[in-house]
């Protein structure tokens, strides 16, 4: 029996790996399982903040396998939830991703517009 590959599935797998690798790079880790857990937890926390219509519109833009992760375990009758603040949102992500110690998410708010920190690295080197 020969194996026939389906291009759309191969591309979706590749895109899922890119997403996981991007998360790993942001977290400064080479642990792809850790990056996957954080991505999954973030997608679920974000999804549960959205209305059913908003969640469907967002999911339609995701690669196939990432979309599956997004919808995994979803109960639309319980959404939207509303995190009271960024800390509770991040705590939910940390809990679902099973983060402890150094791996707990840290709040990184963007710097104020116009500040040196808000500019690119190259621009900062010359302007700041």
């Amino acid at each position: 029996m020969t194996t026939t590959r389906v291009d759309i599935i191969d591309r979706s797998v590749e895109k899922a790996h890119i997403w996981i690798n991007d998360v790993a790079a942001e977290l400064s880790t080479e642990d792809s399982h850790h990056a996957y857990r954080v991505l999954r937890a973030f997608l679920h926390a974000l999804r549960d903040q959205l209305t059913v219509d908003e969640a469907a519109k967002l999911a339609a833009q995701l690669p196939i396998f990432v979309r599956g992760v997004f919808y995994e375990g979803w109960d639309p009758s319980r959404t939207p939830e509303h995190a009271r603040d960024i800390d509770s949102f991040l705590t939910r992500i940390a809990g679902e991703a099973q983060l402890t110690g150094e791996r707990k998410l840290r709040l990184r708010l963007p710097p104020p517009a116009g500040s040196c920190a808000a500019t690119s690295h190259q621009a900062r080197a010359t302007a700041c």
Side-chain angles (χ1 to χ4, degrees):
M1 180 176 166
T2 60
T3 303
T4 305
R5 299 184 68 101
V6 180
D7 287 341
I8 192 165
I9 292 175
D10 290 341
R11 283 192 308 272
S12 186
V13 168
E14 182 180 336
K15 288 178 184 179
H17 283 289
I18 290 168
W19 278 58
I20 292 167
N21 292 340
D22 286 349
V23 171
E26 283 294 319
L27 298 173
S28 300
T29 184
E30 293 182 19
D31 184 345
S32 59
H33 294 286
H34 169 65
Y36 168 76
R37 286 193 318 268
V38 172
L39 174 62
R40 180 179 177 271
F42 173 78
L43 288 170
H44 289 178
L46 176 61
R47 171 201 71 198
D48 291 346
Q49 298 298 310
L50 303 174
T51 66
V52 172
D53 188 52
E54 291 168 333
K57 286 178 181 176
L58 174 60
Q61 299 175 56
L62 299 174
I64 293 169
F65 289 115
V66 175
R67 186 180 318 144
V69 171
F70 180 82
Y71 279 125
E72 179 186 17
W74 187 37
D75 181 355
S77 69
R78 295 186 353 199
T79 57
E81 295 176 359
H82 293 290
R84 295 182 182 200
D85 54 42
I86 191 71
D87 287 331
S88 61
F89 182 77
L90 293 176
T91 297
R92 174 174 172 190
I93 294 170
E96 184 174 338
Q98 302 170 353
L99 303 180
T100 58
E102 290 181 16
R103 290 192 158 178
K104 279 202 173 179
L105 294 178
R106 294 189 177 119
L107 177 61
R108 286 197 244 174
L109 294 175
S115 71
C116 282
T119 60
S120 71
H121 174 71
Q122 212 171 23
R124 229 181 3 257
T126 58
C128 297

PDB file of all heavy atoms in Angstrom, residues 11-27 32 35-36 38-40 42-43 46 58-59 61-67 69-70:
ATOM      1  N   ARG A  11       0.832  21.207   4.778  1.00  0.00           N
ATOM      2  CA  ARG A  11       1.039  22.642   5.019  1.00  0.00           C
ATOM      3  C   ARG A  11       0.509  23.060   6.377  1.00  0.00           C
ATOM      4  O   ARG A  11       1.118  23.880   7.065  1.00  0.00           O
ATOM      5  CB  ARG A  11       0.373  23.470   3.910  1.00  0.00           C
ATOM      6  CG  ARG A  11       1.153  23.484   2.616  1.00  0.00           C
ATOM      7  CD  ARG A  11       0.645  24.535   1.644  1.00  0.00           C
ATOM      8  NE  ARG A  11      -0.782  24.469   1.392  1.00  0.00           N
ATOM      9  CZ  ARG A  11      -1.374  23.719   0.457  1.00  0.00           C
ATOM     10  NH1 ARG A  11      -0.628  22.947  -0.320  1.00  0.00           N
ATOM     11  NH2 ARG A  11      -2.669  23.722   0.290  1.00  0.00           N
ATOM     12  N   SER A  12      -0.607  22.493   6.795  1.00  0.00           N
ATOM     13  CA  SER A  12      -1.170  22.844   8.095  1.00  0.00           C
ATOM     14  C   SER A  12      -0.282  22.353   9.234  1.00  0.00           C
ATOM     15  O   SER A  12      -0.102  23.057  10.234  1.00  0.00           O
ATOM     16  CB  SER A  12      -2.581  22.285   8.244  1.00  0.00           C
ATOM     17  OG  SER A  12      -3.148  22.747   9.445  1.00  0.00           O
ATOM     18  N   VAL A  13       0.279  21.171   9.084  1.00  0.00           N
ATOM     19  CA  VAL A  13       1.212  20.656  10.095  1.00  0.00           C
ATOM     20  C   VAL A  13       2.420  21.581  10.170  1.00  0.00           C
ATOM     21  O   VAL A  13       2.878  21.947  11.262  1.00  0.00           O
ATOM     22  CB  VAL A  13       1.630  19.202   9.773  1.00  0.00           C
ATOM     23  CG1 VAL A  13       2.814  18.765  10.627  1.00  0.00           C
ATOM     24  CG2 VAL A  13       0.463  18.259   9.948  1.00  0.00           C
ATOM     25  N   GLU A  14       2.933  21.972   9.001  1.00  0.00           N
ATOM     26  CA  GLU A  14       4.083  22.883   8.968  1.00  0.00           C
ATOM     27  C   GLU A  14       3.743  24.212   9.646  1.00  0.00           C
ATOM     28  O   GLU A  14       4.538  24.735  10.432  1.00  0.00           O
ATOM     29  CB  GLU A  14       4.505  23.127   7.519  1.00  0.00           C
ATOM     30  CG  GLU A  14       5.713  24.013   7.380  1.00  0.00           C
ATOM     31  CD  GLU A  14       6.108  24.226   5.929  1.00  0.00           C
ATOM     32  OE1 GLU A  14       5.774  23.392   5.064  1.00  0.00           O
ATOM     33  OE2 GLU A  14       6.765  25.249   5.670  1.00  0.00           O
ATOM     34  N   LYS A  15       2.557  24.753   9.378  1.00  0.00           N
ATOM     35  CA  LYS A  15       2.146  26.012  10.004  1.00  0.00           C
ATOM     36  C   LYS A  15       2.002  25.862  11.513  1.00  0.00           C
ATOM     37  O   LYS A  15       2.375  26.765  12.273  1.00  0.00           O
ATOM     38  CB  LYS A  15       0.834  26.514   9.395  1.00  0.00           C
ATOM     39  CG  LYS A  15       0.997  27.030   7.989  1.00  0.00           C
ATOM     40  CD  LYS A  15      -0.345  27.460   7.407  1.00  0.00           C
ATOM     41  CE  LYS A  15      -0.211  27.877   5.959  1.00  0.00           C
ATOM     42  NZ  LYS A  15      -1.514  28.260   5.389  1.00  0.00           N
ATOM     43  N   ALA A  16       1.485  24.734  11.968  1.00  0.00           N
ATOM     44  CA  ALA A  16       1.356  24.500  13.413  1.00  0.00           C
ATOM     45  C   ALA A  16       2.741  24.480  14.062  1.00  0.00           C
ATOM     46  O   ALA A  16       2.933  25.067  15.133  1.00  0.00           O
ATOM     47  CB  ALA A  16       0.607  23.195  13.680  1.00  0.00           C
ATOM     48  N   HIS A  17       3.701  23.835  13.398  1.00  0.00           N
ATOM     49  CA  HIS A  17       5.069  23.822  13.926  1.00  0.00           C
ATOM     50  C   HIS A  17       5.659  25.234  13.958  1.00  0.00           C
ATOM     51  O   HIS A  17       6.363  25.590  14.909  1.00  0.00           O
ATOM     52  CB  HIS A  17       5.967  22.895  13.103  1.00  0.00           C
ATOM     53  CG  HIS A  17       5.763  21.452  13.414  1.00  0.00           C
ATOM     54  ND1 HIS A  17       6.156  20.874  14.592  1.00  0.00           N
ATOM     55  CD2 HIS A  17       5.188  20.460  12.682  1.00  0.00           C
ATOM     56  CE1 HIS A  17       5.835  19.591  14.583  1.00  0.00           C
ATOM     57  NE2 HIS A  17       5.244  19.319  13.437  1.00  0.00           N
ATOM     58  N   ILE A  18       5.363  26.042  12.959  1.00  0.00           N
ATOM     59  CA  ILE A  18       5.844  27.426  12.942  1.00  0.00           C
ATOM     60  C   ILE A  18       5.271  28.192  14.121  1.00  0.00           C
ATOM     61  O   ILE A  18       5.984  28.921  14.816  1.00  0.00           O
ATOM     62  CB  ILE A  18       5.508  28.107  11.593  1.00  0.00           C
ATOM     63  CG1 ILE A  18       6.367  27.503  10.474  1.00  0.00           C
ATOM     64  CG2 ILE A  18       5.695  29.621  11.675  1.00  0.00           C
ATOM     65  CD1 ILE A  18       5.928  27.891   9.075  1.00  0.00           C
ATOM     66  N   TRP A  19       3.977  28.035  14.376  1.00  0.00           N
ATOM     67  CA  TRP A  19       3.344  28.715  15.513  1.00  0.00           C
ATOM     68  C   TRP A  19       4.005  28.286  16.821  1.00  0.00           C
ATOM     69  O   TRP A  19       4.317  29.124  17.668  1.00  0.00           O
ATOM     70  CB  TRP A  19       1.846  28.398  15.547  1.00  0.00           C
ATOM     71  CG  TRP A  19       1.007  29.227  14.627  1.00  0.00           C
ATOM     72  CD1 TRP A  19       1.142  29.339  13.277  1.00  0.00           C
ATOM     73  CD2 TRP A  19      -0.090  30.056  14.985  1.00  0.00           C
ATOM     74  NE1 TRP A  19       0.178  30.176  12.786  1.00  0.00           N
ATOM     75  CE2 TRP A  19      -0.592  30.626  13.807  1.00  0.00           C
ATOM     76  CE3 TRP A  19      -0.704  30.352  16.194  1.00  0.00           C
ATOM     77  CZ2 TRP A  19      -1.679  31.490  13.803  1.00  0.00           C
ATOM     78  CZ3 TRP A  19      -1.801  31.211  16.190  1.00  0.00           C
ATOM     79  CH2 TRP A  19      -2.267  31.773  15.000  1.00  0.00           C
ATOM     80  N   ILE A  20       4.203  26.996  16.991  1.00  0.00           N
ATOM     81  CA  ILE A  20       4.813  26.493  18.226  1.00  0.00           C
ATOM     82  C   ILE A  20       6.248  26.995  18.355  1.00  0.00           C
ATOM     83  O   ILE A  20       6.673  27.423  19.434  1.00  0.00           O
ATOM     84  CB  ILE A  20       4.747  24.949  18.276  1.00  0.00           C
ATOM     85  CG1 ILE A  20       3.280  24.510  18.434  1.00  0.00           C
ATOM     86  CG2 ILE A  20       5.604  24.386  19.402  1.00  0.00           C
ATOM     87  CD1 ILE A  20       3.042  23.040  18.194  1.00  0.00           C
ATOM     88  N   ASN A  21       6.992  26.979  17.271  1.00  0.00           N
ATOM     89  CA  ASN A  21       8.369  27.482  17.300  1.00  0.00           C
ATOM     90  C   ASN A  21       8.413  28.974  17.617  1.00  0.00           C
ATOM     91  O   ASN A  21       9.311  29.431  18.330  1.00  0.00           O
ATOM     92  CB  ASN A  21       9.082  27.191  15.979  1.00  0.00           C
ATOM     93  CG  ASN A  21       9.330  25.716  15.774  1.00  0.00           C
ATOM     94  OD1 ASN A  21       9.323  24.928  16.709  1.00  0.00           O
ATOM     95  ND2 ASN A  21       9.526  25.329  14.522  1.00  0.00           N
ATOM     96  N   ASP A  22       7.453  29.749  17.093  1.00  0.00           N
ATOM     97  CA  ASP A  22       7.392  31.181  17.397  1.00  0.00           C
ATOM     98  C   ASP A  22       7.114  31.414  18.883  1.00  0.00           C
ATOM     99  O   ASP A  22       7.715  32.285  19.505  1.00  0.00           O
ATOM    100  CB  ASP A  22       6.335  31.888  16.549  1.00  0.00           C
ATOM    101  CG  ASP A  22       6.753  32.074  15.095  1.00  0.00           C
ATOM    102  OD1 ASP A  22       7.938  31.848  14.767  1.00  0.00           O
ATOM    103  OD2 ASP A  22       5.876  32.445  14.284  1.00  0.00           O
ATOM    104  N   VAL A  23       6.200  30.636  19.449  1.00  0.00           N
ATOM    105  CA  VAL A  23       5.910  30.749  20.878  1.00  0.00           C
ATOM    106  C   VAL A  23       7.157  30.366  21.684  1.00  0.00           C
ATOM    107  O   VAL A  23       7.523  31.058  22.642  1.00  0.00           O
ATOM    108  CB  VAL A  23       4.695  29.885  21.287  1.00  0.00           C
ATOM    109  CG1 VAL A  23       4.542  29.823  22.798  1.00  0.00           C
ATOM    110  CG2 VAL A  23       3.419  30.419  20.647  1.00  0.00           C
ATOM    111  N   ALA A  24       7.823  29.297  21.281  1.00  0.00           N
ATOM    112  CA  ALA A  24       9.043  28.872  21.973  1.00  0.00           C
ATOM    113  C   ALA A  24      10.096  29.976  21.937  1.00  0.00           C
ATOM    114  O   ALA A  24      10.749  30.247  22.952  1.00  0.00           O
ATOM    115  CB  ALA A  24       9.591  27.587  21.350  1.00  0.00           C
ATOM    116  N   ALA A  25      10.236  30.625  20.794  1.00  0.00           N
ATOM    117  CA  ALA A  25      11.209  31.717  20.680  1.00  0.00           C
ATOM    118  C   ALA A  25      10.829  32.873  21.597  1.00  0.00           C
ATOM    119  O   ALA A  25      11.698  33.447  22.275  1.00  0.00           O
ATOM    120  CB  ALA A  25      11.304  32.192  19.236  1.00  0.00           C
ATOM    121  N   GLU A  26       9.557  33.220  21.654  1.00  0.00           N
ATOM    122  CA  GLU A  26       9.096  34.302  22.542  1.00  0.00           C
ATOM    123  C   GLU A  26       9.347  33.966  24.005  1.00  0.00           C
ATOM    124  O   GLU A  26       9.613  34.849  24.810  1.00  0.00           O
ATOM    125  CB  GLU A  26       7.605  34.586  22.328  1.00  0.00           C
ATOM    126  CG  GLU A  26       7.295  35.390  21.095  1.00  0.00           C
ATOM    127  CD  GLU A  26       7.839  36.804  21.153  1.00  0.00           C
ATOM    128  OE1 GLU A  26       7.760  37.455  22.224  1.00  0.00           O
ATOM    129  OE2 GLU A  26       8.369  37.261  20.136  1.00  0.00           O
ATOM    130  N   LEU A  27       9.241  32.684  24.339  1.00  0.00           N
ATOM    131  CA  LEU A  27       9.435  32.240  25.721  1.00  0.00           C
ATOM    132  C   LEU A  27      10.892  31.900  26.018  1.00  0.00           C
ATOM    133  O   LEU A  27      11.212  31.493  27.134  1.00  0.00           O
ATOM    134  CB  LEU A  27       8.555  31.014  26.009  1.00  0.00           C
ATOM    135  CG  LEU A  27       7.049  31.220  25.904  1.00  0.00           C
ATOM    136  CD1 LEU A  27       6.327  29.888  26.043  1.00  0.00           C
ATOM    137  CD2 LEU A  27       6.563  32.219  26.938  1.00  0.00           C
ATOM    138  N   SER A  32       9.466  22.334  23.004  1.00  0.00           N
ATOM    139  CA  SER A  32       8.277  22.515  22.165  1.00  0.00           C
ATOM    140  C   SER A  32       7.000  22.072  22.875  1.00  0.00           C
ATOM    141  O   SER A  32       5.928  22.605  22.599  1.00  0.00           O
ATOM    142  CB  SER A  32       8.437  21.786  20.834  1.00  0.00           C
ATOM    143  OG  SER A  32       8.644  20.410  21.029  1.00  0.00           O
ATOM    144  N   ALA A  35       5.999  25.068  24.885  1.00  0.00           N
ATOM    145  CA  ALA A  35       5.462  26.097  23.983  1.00  0.00           C
ATOM    146  C   ALA A  35       4.056  25.729  23.524  1.00  0.00           C
ATOM    147  O   ALA A  35       3.170  26.586  23.464  1.00  0.00           O
ATOM    148  CB  ALA A  35       6.387  26.286  22.787  1.00  0.00           C
ATOM    149  N   TYR A  36       3.823  24.448  23.223  1.00  0.00           N
ATOM    150  CA  TYR A  36       2.491  23.998  22.821  1.00  0.00           C
ATOM    151  C   TYR A  36       1.473  24.225  23.946  1.00  0.00           C
ATOM    152  O   TYR A  36       0.374  24.709  23.705  1.00  0.00           O
ATOM    153  CB  TYR A  36       2.501  22.517  22.422  1.00  0.00           C
ATOM    154  CG  TYR A  36       1.103  21.965  22.278  1.00  0.00           C
ATOM    155  CD1 TYR A  36       0.339  22.258  21.161  1.00  0.00           C
ATOM    156  CD2 TYR A  36       0.538  21.181  23.282  1.00  0.00           C
ATOM    157  CE1 TYR A  36      -0.963  21.776  21.040  1.00  0.00           C
ATOM    158  CE2 TYR A  36      -0.751  20.698  23.173  1.00  0.00           C
ATOM    159  CZ  TYR A  36      -1.499  21.003  22.053  1.00  0.00           C
ATOM    160  OH  TYR A  36      -2.776  20.545  21.942  1.00  0.00           O
ATOM    161  N   VAL A  38       1.546  26.417  26.338  1.00  0.00           N
ATOM    162  CA  VAL A  38       1.286  27.851  26.481  1.00  0.00           C
ATOM    163  C   VAL A  38       0.406  28.346  25.338  1.00  0.00           C
ATOM    164  O   VAL A  38      -0.553  29.090  25.564  1.00  0.00           O
ATOM    165  CB  VAL A  38       2.605  28.655  26.556  1.00  0.00           C
ATOM    166  CG1 VAL A  38       2.346  30.147  26.501  1.00  0.00           C
ATOM    167  CG2 VAL A  38       3.364  28.288  27.836  1.00  0.00           C
ATOM    168  N   LEU A  39       0.701  27.929  24.113  1.00  0.00           N
ATOM    169  CA  LEU A  39      -0.124  28.326  22.967  1.00  0.00           C
ATOM    170  C   LEU A  39      -1.558  27.861  23.160  1.00  0.00           C
ATOM    171  O   LEU A  39      -2.505  28.633  22.988  1.00  0.00           O
ATOM    172  CB  LEU A  39       0.453  27.745  21.670  1.00  0.00           C
ATOM    173  CG  LEU A  39      -0.401  27.953  20.409  1.00  0.00           C
ATOM    174  CD1 LEU A  39      -0.561  29.439  20.101  1.00  0.00           C
ATOM    175  CD2 LEU A  39       0.222  27.217  19.227  1.00  0.00           C
ATOM    176  N   ARG A  40      -1.726  26.605  23.554  1.00  0.00           N
ATOM    177  CA  ARG A  40      -3.062  26.038  23.776  1.00  0.00           C
ATOM    178  C   ARG A  40      -3.808  26.812  24.863  1.00  0.00           C
ATOM    179  O   ARG A  40      -4.973  27.183  24.704  1.00  0.00           O
ATOM    180  CB  ARG A  40      -2.920  24.562  24.160  1.00  0.00           C
ATOM    181  CG  ARG A  40      -4.218  23.856  24.427  1.00  0.00           C
ATOM    182  CD  ARG A  40      -3.903  22.381  24.787  1.00  0.00           C
ATOM    183  NE  ARG A  40      -5.096  21.667  25.118  1.00  0.00           N
ATOM    184  CZ  ARG A  40      -5.612  21.590  26.341  1.00  0.00           C
ATOM    185  NH1 ARG A  40      -5.013  22.189  27.348  1.00  0.00           N
ATOM    186  NH2 ARG A  40      -6.712  20.917  26.557  1.00  0.00           N
ATOM    187  N   PHE A  42      -3.265  29.873  25.905  1.00  0.00           N
ATOM    188  CA  PHE A  42      -3.574  31.229  25.437  1.00  0.00           C
ATOM    189  C   PHE A  42      -4.772  31.214  24.496  1.00  0.00           C
ATOM    190  O   PHE A  42      -5.684  32.043  24.629  1.00  0.00           O
ATOM    191  CB  PHE A  42      -2.371  31.860  24.731  1.00  0.00           C
ATOM    192  CG  PHE A  42      -2.718  33.175  24.105  1.00  0.00           C
ATOM    193  CD1 PHE A  42      -2.832  34.320  24.879  1.00  0.00           C
ATOM    194  CD2 PHE A  42      -2.979  33.257  22.745  1.00  0.00           C
ATOM    195  CE1 PHE A  42      -3.193  35.536  24.312  1.00  0.00           C
ATOM    196  CE2 PHE A  42      -3.345  34.474  22.170  1.00  0.00           C
ATOM    197  CZ  PHE A  42      -3.446  35.608  22.954  1.00  0.00           C
ATOM    198  N   LEU A  43      -4.785  30.284  23.539  1.00  0.00           N
ATOM    199  CA  LEU A  43      -5.910  30.213  22.602  1.00  0.00           C
ATOM    200  C   LEU A  43      -7.226  29.971  23.336  1.00  0.00           C
ATOM    201  O   LEU A  43      -8.248  30.586  23.018  1.00  0.00           O
ATOM    202  CB  LEU A  43      -5.667  29.117  21.562  1.00  0.00           C
ATOM    203  CG  LEU A  43      -4.599  29.407  20.521  1.00  0.00           C
ATOM    204  CD1 LEU A  43      -4.298  28.141  19.704  1.00  0.00           C
ATOM    205  CD2 LEU A  43      -5.001  30.557  19.617  1.00  0.00           C
ATOM    206  N   LEU A  46      -8.194  33.187  25.339  1.00  0.00           N
ATOM    207  CA  LEU A  46      -8.682  34.210  24.406  1.00  0.00           C
ATOM    208  C   LEU A  46     -10.058  33.841  23.873  1.00  0.00           C
ATOM    209  O   LEU A  46     -10.980  34.661  23.899  1.00  0.00           O
ATOM    210  CB  LEU A  46      -7.701  34.369  23.243  1.00  0.00           C
ATOM    211  CG  LEU A  46      -8.123  35.336  22.140  1.00  0.00           C
ATOM    212  CD1 LEU A  46      -8.307  36.750  22.702  1.00  0.00           C
ATOM    213  CD2 LEU A  46      -7.113  35.319  21.007  1.00  0.00           C
ATOM    214  N   LEU A  58     -12.444  34.486  14.318  1.00  0.00           N
ATOM    215  CA  LEU A  58     -11.024  34.340  14.586  1.00  0.00           C
ATOM    216  C   LEU A  58     -10.544  32.953  14.152  1.00  0.00           C
ATOM    217  O   LEU A  58      -9.527  32.815  13.465  1.00  0.00           O
ATOM    218  CB  LEU A  58     -10.711  34.556  16.068  1.00  0.00           C
ATOM    219  CG  LEU A  58      -9.277  34.287  16.494  1.00  0.00           C
ATOM    220  CD1 LEU A  58      -8.292  35.190  15.746  1.00  0.00           C
ATOM    221  CD2 LEU A  58      -9.129  34.464  17.993  1.00  0.00           C
ATOM    222  N   ALA A  59     -11.281  31.923  14.522  1.00  0.00           N
ATOM    223  CA  ALA A  59     -10.881  30.548  14.203  1.00  0.00           C
ATOM    224  C   ALA A  59     -10.781  30.317  12.702  1.00  0.00           C
ATOM    225  O   ALA A  59      -9.905  29.575  12.242  1.00  0.00           O
ATOM    226  CB  ALA A  59     -11.872  29.563  14.821  1.00  0.00           C
ATOM    227  N   GLN A  61      -9.545  32.087  10.591  1.00  0.00           N
ATOM    228  CA  GLN A  61      -8.277  32.604  10.085  1.00  0.00           C
ATOM    229  C   GLN A  61      -7.071  31.767  10.532  1.00  0.00           C
ATOM    230  O   GLN A  61      -5.947  32.026  10.098  1.00  0.00           O
ATOM    231  CB  GLN A  61      -8.094  34.049  10.554  1.00  0.00           C
ATOM    232  CG  GLN A  61      -9.194  34.969  10.048  1.00  0.00           C
ATOM    233  CD  GLN A  61      -9.054  36.353  10.616  1.00  0.00           C
ATOM    234  OE1 GLN A  61      -8.014  36.970  10.457  1.00  0.00           O
ATOM    235  NE2 GLN A  61     -10.098  36.828  11.275  1.00  0.00           N
ATOM    236  N   LEU A  62      -7.306  30.793  11.384  1.00  0.00           N
ATOM    237  CA  LEU A  62      -6.208  29.981  11.928  1.00  0.00           C
ATOM    238  C   LEU A  62      -5.903  28.791  11.027  1.00  0.00           C
ATOM    239  O   LEU A  62      -6.803  28.265  10.368  1.00  0.00           O
ATOM    240  CB  LEU A  62      -6.583  29.475  13.325  1.00  0.00           C
ATOM    241  CG  LEU A  62      -6.855  30.532  14.387  1.00  0.00           C
ATOM    242  CD1 LEU A  62      -7.355  29.867  15.669  1.00  0.00           C
ATOM    243  CD2 LEU A  62      -5.624  31.374  14.649  1.00  0.00           C
ATOM    244  N   PRO A  63      -4.644  28.326  11.024  1.00  0.00           N
ATOM    245  CA  PRO A  63      -4.333  27.085  10.311  1.00  0.00           C
ATOM    246  C   PRO A  63      -5.167  25.934  10.883  1.00  0.00           C
ATOM    247  O   PRO A  63      -5.550  25.953  12.055  1.00  0.00           O
ATOM    248  CB  PRO A  63      -2.844  26.868  10.608  1.00  0.00           C
ATOM    249  CG  PRO A  63      -2.322  28.204  11.017  1.00  0.00           C
ATOM    250  CD  PRO A  63      -3.468  28.918  11.665  1.00  0.00           C
ATOM    251  N   ILE A  64      -5.420  24.925  10.076  1.00  0.00           N
ATOM    252  CA  ILE A  64      -6.346  23.850  10.439  1.00  0.00           C
ATOM    253  C   ILE A  64      -6.052  23.249  11.814  1.00  0.00           C
ATOM    254  O   ILE A  64      -6.947  23.137  12.652  1.00  0.00           O
ATOM    255  CB  ILE A  64      -6.339  22.741   9.367  1.00  0.00           C
ATOM    256  CG1 ILE A  64      -6.929  23.271   8.061  1.00  0.00           C
ATOM    257  CG2 ILE A  64      -7.107  21.515   9.833  1.00  0.00           C
ATOM    258  CD1 ILE A  64      -6.727  22.345   6.869  1.00  0.00           C
ATOM    259  N   PHE A  65      -4.822  22.840  12.068  1.00  0.00           N
ATOM    260  CA  PHE A  65      -4.521  22.183  13.341  1.00  0.00           C
ATOM    261  C   PHE A  65      -4.549  23.154  14.513  1.00  0.00           C
ATOM    262  O   PHE A  65      -4.962  22.784  15.611  1.00  0.00           O
ATOM    263  CB  PHE A  65      -3.193  21.430  13.266  1.00  0.00           C
ATOM    264  CG  PHE A  65      -3.287  20.212  12.396  1.00  0.00           C
ATOM    265  CD1 PHE A  65      -2.560  20.126  11.224  1.00  0.00           C
ATOM    266  CD2 PHE A  65      -4.125  19.157  12.730  1.00  0.00           C
ATOM    267  CE1 PHE A  65      -2.657  19.004  10.409  1.00  0.00           C
ATOM    268  CE2 PHE A  65      -4.232  18.039  11.919  1.00  0.00           C
ATOM    269  CZ  PHE A  65      -3.492  17.968  10.749  1.00  0.00           C
ATOM    270  N   VAL A  66      -4.152  24.379  14.303  1.00  0.00           N
ATOM    271  CA  VAL A  66      -4.244  25.398  15.360  1.00  0.00           C
ATOM    272  C   VAL A  66      -5.719  25.678  15.644  1.00  0.00           C
ATOM    273  O   VAL A  66      -6.117  25.854  16.797  1.00  0.00           O
ATOM    274  CB  VAL A  66      -3.476  26.684  14.966  1.00  0.00           C
ATOM    275  CG1 VAL A  66      -3.661  27.773  16.002  1.00  0.00           C
ATOM    276  CG2 VAL A  66      -1.992  26.377  14.754  1.00  0.00           C
ATOM    277  N   ARG A  67      -6.543  25.671  14.610  1.00  0.00           N
ATOM    278  CA  ARG A  67      -7.989  25.849  14.785  1.00  0.00           C
ATOM    279  C   ARG A  67      -8.569  24.727  15.632  1.00  0.00           C
ATOM    280  O   ARG A  67      -9.416  24.958  16.505  1.00  0.00           O
ATOM    281  CB  ARG A  67      -8.672  25.883  13.419  1.00  0.00           C
ATOM    282  CG  ARG A  67     -10.151  26.195  13.481  1.00  0.00           C
ATOM    283  CD  ARG A  67     -10.804  26.213  12.107  1.00  0.00           C
ATOM    284  NE  ARG A  67      -9.968  26.889  11.130  1.00  0.00           N
ATOM    285  CZ  ARG A  67      -9.859  26.519   9.859  1.00  0.00           C
ATOM    286  NH1 ARG A  67     -10.537  25.478   9.396  1.00  0.00           N
ATOM    287  NH2 ARG A  67      -9.079  27.178   9.038  1.00  0.00           N
ATOM    288  N   VAL A  69      -7.003  23.054  17.971  1.00  0.00           N
ATOM    289  CA  VAL A  69      -6.586  23.339  19.347  1.00  0.00           C
ATOM    290  C   VAL A  69      -7.475  24.432  19.931  1.00  0.00           C
ATOM    291  O   VAL A  69      -7.915  24.347  21.078  1.00  0.00           O
ATOM    292  CB  VAL A  69      -5.096  23.748  19.395  1.00  0.00           C
ATOM    293  CG1 VAL A  69      -4.710  24.253  20.780  1.00  0.00           C
ATOM    294  CG2 VAL A  69      -4.217  22.592  18.972  1.00  0.00           C
ATOM    295  N   PHE A  70      -7.749  25.460  19.136  1.00  0.00           N
ATOM    296  CA  PHE A  70      -8.591  26.580  19.563  1.00  0.00           C
ATOM    297  C   PHE A  70      -9.966  26.072  20.020  1.00  0.00           C
ATOM    298  O   PHE A  70     -10.470  26.466  21.066  1.00  0.00           O
ATOM    299  CB  PHE A  70      -8.734  27.562  18.395  1.00  0.00           C
ATOM    300  CG  PHE A  70      -9.580  28.771  18.670  1.00  0.00           C
ATOM    301  CD1 PHE A  70      -9.057  29.875  19.334  1.00  0.00           C
ATOM    302  CD2 PHE A  70     -10.891  28.834  18.229  1.00  0.00           C
ATOM    303  CE1 PHE A  70      -9.827  31.008  19.563  1.00  0.00           C
ATOM    304  CE2 PHE A  70     -11.669  29.962  18.452  1.00  0.00           C
ATOM    305  CZ  PHE A  70     -11.131  31.044  19.121  1.00  0.00           C
TER     306      PHE A  70
END
